[in-house]
Amino acid sequence: MLDMKLHMFTLIAVLATIPVFGHMEMTSPCPRYSPKCATPSALPPGAVLDYNLNGPIGGNGNINQPFCKYTKPWPQVSDTWTTGHPVTISFANNGASHSGGHTEFSISYDNANTFVVVHQVLRHMFFTAPPPSGGSDTVRSYTFTLPVGLPGTSHAIFAWTWVNAIGNREFYMNCADVAIIGNAGSYTGKAMTVANYGPMYPTIPEFMGNYNTGIQLYSTNISQ
């Protein structure tokens, strides 16, 4: 009996050292209610930190959470950006990248009712090149220039969205509250692509090596 207990204890100890991988999550700019902020903001009243921001907000025909997962913003913005300048978006190192997929980075000025795309990473997100061609799953940050024409505001919502290449048909979304330094005006661009998120949106099937799967949805749908 003692020997059996010893083996069980050893097994539990070994299992406890095995890392548990989630899916993928943005870490900078810091998304709403993330515990991984370099300088965390105070939470809204009644809110708690979310240690599961790496899961999809919808998948397999279901809507699991609303856009951004949380509708109440941080009381203070996570970052301040300037139009025409580069911004860097970072992701957790220990997530599951599901063989890549399509990503958009978008901005909302109307509390997540509409989003306009400011940058796309299509086909092999998180990889140096297409996985079938030997691409390495090592990319965990992307830098792009914030469009000059974006209006300035003390509070906008920045969103990262992702449709994974392989696995359950899922839609990922993290949102961060940011301020933008820019001129007054308006900005017209492509509306954020939403797929695999409930029955009213299109489904993008597994890529199965075809990295053009669903690509037409990312080249149409211009916002007004």
Side-chain angles (χ1 to χ4, degrees):
M1 181 64 72
L2 178 61
D3 184 60
M4 181 180 293
K5 287 184 177 179
L6 179 60
H7 282 298
M8 289 179 66
F9 176 80
T10 302
L11 177 61
I12 291 171
V14 171
L15 288 176
T17 65
I18 298 174
V20 177
F21 295 104
H23 300 285
M24 196 61 74
E25 65 182 298
M26 182 173 71
T27 56
S28 179
C30 189
R32 290 178 176 178
Y33 307 1
S34 172
K36 299 179 180 179
C37 298
T39 53
S41 169
L43 287 164
V48 297
L49 293 175
D50 187 343
Y51 291 84
N52 296 293
L53 286 172
N54 60 2
I57 64 168
N60 297 330
N62 299 313
I63 295 176
N64 300 331
Q65 286 97 23
F67 283 169
C68 294
K69 190 173 184 179
Y70 296 104
T71 57
K72 290 183 179 180
W74 285 114
Q76 293 85 35
V77 296
S78 297
D79 212 336
T80 298
W81 293 339
T82 301
T83 59
H85 287 243
V87 295
T88 297
I89 315 304
S90 301
F91 298 87
N93 290 320
N94 61 345
S97 56
H98 294 286
S99 295
H102 306 316
T103 272
E104 288 180 331
F105 302 109
S106 307
I107 297 283
S108 175
Y109 288 85
D110 59 3
N111 197 32
N113 288 308
T114 59
F115 284 89
V116 62
V117 175
V118 294
H119 190 67
Q120 293 179 319
V121 179
L122 302 179
R123 298 179 177 85
H124 47 89
M125 178 71 178
F126 303 119
F127 284 77
T128 57
S133 302
S136 175
D137 179 12
T138 56
V139 182
R140 293 298 182 266
S141 67
Y142 290 87
T143 299
F144 61 90
T145 299
L146 204 63
V148 173
L150 283 178
T153 179
S154 60
H155 180 217
I157 300 174
F158 173 78
W160 162 67
T161 53
W162 175 44
V163 169
N164 49 308
I166 296 298
N168 292 333
R169 307 321 302 140
E170 296 169 332
F171 183 68
Y172 293 80
M173 184 178 194
N174 291 154
C175 291
D177 298 286
V178 299
I180 297 175
I181 299 173
N183 297 320
S186 62
Y187 182 82
T188 298
K190 180 192 170 301
M192 182 181 75
T193 303
V194 182
N196 304 342
Y197 182 69
M200 61 187 296
Y201 295 100
T203 296
I204 297 176
E206 285 192 89
F207 290 13
M208 297 301 189
N210 178 8
Y211 278 75
N212 285 322
T213 301
I215 204 71
Q216 69 279 3
L217 297 175
Y218 291 81
S219 58
T220 58
N221 193 20
I222 303 299
S223 68
Q224 301 298 320

